[in-house]
Amino acid sequence: MGQPLTAAVRYLSGEREPVRVATTGNIIQQGLQVIDDVELEVGDRVLVKDQTDSVKNGIYLASEGVWFRAPDASHTRAVNEGVTVQVREGTTNNGKAYRFATSNPVVGTDPI
C-alpha cells in the first residue's frame, strides 16, 4: 500500500483535505447542527454544495457562530474546475467524491 498523500501534495494535485460531511440541502451556515445524520463539532470541514444561492457553496469550517470558508478553499485556484474533495461520513454522502465544476470562480462572488 502506498503512503498517504501529504497535505501539500494533495493541494498541488487538485485534491483538497477530506470533509467530514457534505450537505444534502440548503442550510444556514452558522452554529453546530446535524448534516447528513452527523452531529457537527467545532472545526469540522463541511462541503456546502446545495445552497439556493450557489455563491455560498464551498468548503467551510463548522463553528458555534458564523461559518468561514476553509483556508485551503477560500480563493479561486483552490476551488477551480477539476478540484476534488472526499466525504468521510454521512448517510447519503459517505465515501463520495465531489469535483468542482466552475472554471476560475471568484470565491464569494461567482456561483460554485
Side-chain angles (χ1 to χ4, degrees), residues 3 7-8 15 19 29-33 68 74 86 110-111:
Q3 294 292 321
E15 182 181 334
V19 295
Q29 293 168 293
Q30 67 179 42
L32 299 178
Q33 52 195 286
F68 293 96
S74 62
Q86 301 280 329
D110 295 332

Side-chain angles (χ1 to χ4, degrees), residues 14-27:
E15 182 181 334
R16 295 297 156 258
E17 289 288 327
V19 295
R20 183 171 183 203
V21 296
T23 59
T24 58
N26 194 58
I27 64 164

Side-chain angles (χ1 to χ4, degrees), residues 20-79:
R20 183 171 183 203
V21 296
T23 59
T24 58
N26 194 58
I27 64 164
I28 296 172
Q29 293 168 293
Q30 67 179 42
L32 299 178
Q33 52 195 286
V34 175
I35 294 179
D36 198 10
D37 297 324
V38 176
E39 189 171 335
L40 297 180
E41 298 176 5
V42 171
D44 281 341
R45 291 169 58 84
V46 179
L47 174 61
V48 176
K49 61 179 182 51
D50 301 295
Q51 294 302 92
T52 302
D53 179 358
S54 58
V55 168
K56 295 180 181 177
N57 286 337
I59 301 171
Y60 286 82
L61 299 177
S63 77
E64 292 176 340
V66 175
W67 293 9
F68 293 96
R69 291 180 190 273
D72 68 335
S74 62
H75 56 85
T76 297
R77 285 185 24 198
V79 293

